Amino acid sequence: MDETSQQDNPSAHRSFHPERHAPEKRPGRTAAREETAEVPGDHVKSTGRRGEEQTRGGSSGEKGKHDTGPRGRSQRPSGTKDASAVTGVDPKDPT
């Protein structure tokens, strides 16, 4: 392929020059009073713990799962599991 060609694309010019080609901007809509008022139950306080807090202080306590401690620079928790923690047919390890 010795030469390259470029096709004329007038829509690209319109896309990059909206000040010349786009219609005038119309005024936006005003929000109704019902949309801006507080709604009871709109915010909920979380009562759960983060994953790091749930496993801190040892193993998860689940059968077949083993804590291997924090990994890498981020010190994220890590672990392994054996066949007793696998659901399904024919686990590979003996229980």
Side-chain angles (χ1 to χ4, degrees):
M1 193 165 181
D2 294 332
E3 71 181 79
T4 60
S5 63
Q6 186 173 4
Q7 295 179 340
D8 187 32
N9 187 354
S11 68
H13 185 268
R14 288 192 301 269
S15 297
F16 290 102
H17 296 87
E19 68 281 351
R20 289 182 30 201
H21 300 286
E24 291 293 320
K25 188 172 182 180
R26 299 185 330 202
R29 89 177 173 88
T30 56
R33 185 183 58 178
E34 291 84 3
E35 293 176 284
T36 58
E38 283 283 327
V39 178
D42 192 24
H43 301 344
V44 178
K45 174 108 170 98
S46 175
T47 58
R49 297 181 302 159
R50 295 176 48 171
E52 291 87 355
E53 294 167 353
Q54 290 181 19
T55 59
R56 192 168 283 147
S59 68
S60 64
E62 294 182 54
K63 180 183 172 194
K65 295 190 178 182
H66 311 284
D67 184 16
T68 58
R71 282 275 168 108
R73 213 171 64 176
S74 66
Q75 295 295 297
R76 294 181 66 96
S78 63
T80 61
K81 62 183 178 178
D82 57 29
S84 65
V86 177
T87 60
V89 179
D90 193 26
K92 300 299 178 207
D93 294 337
T95 55

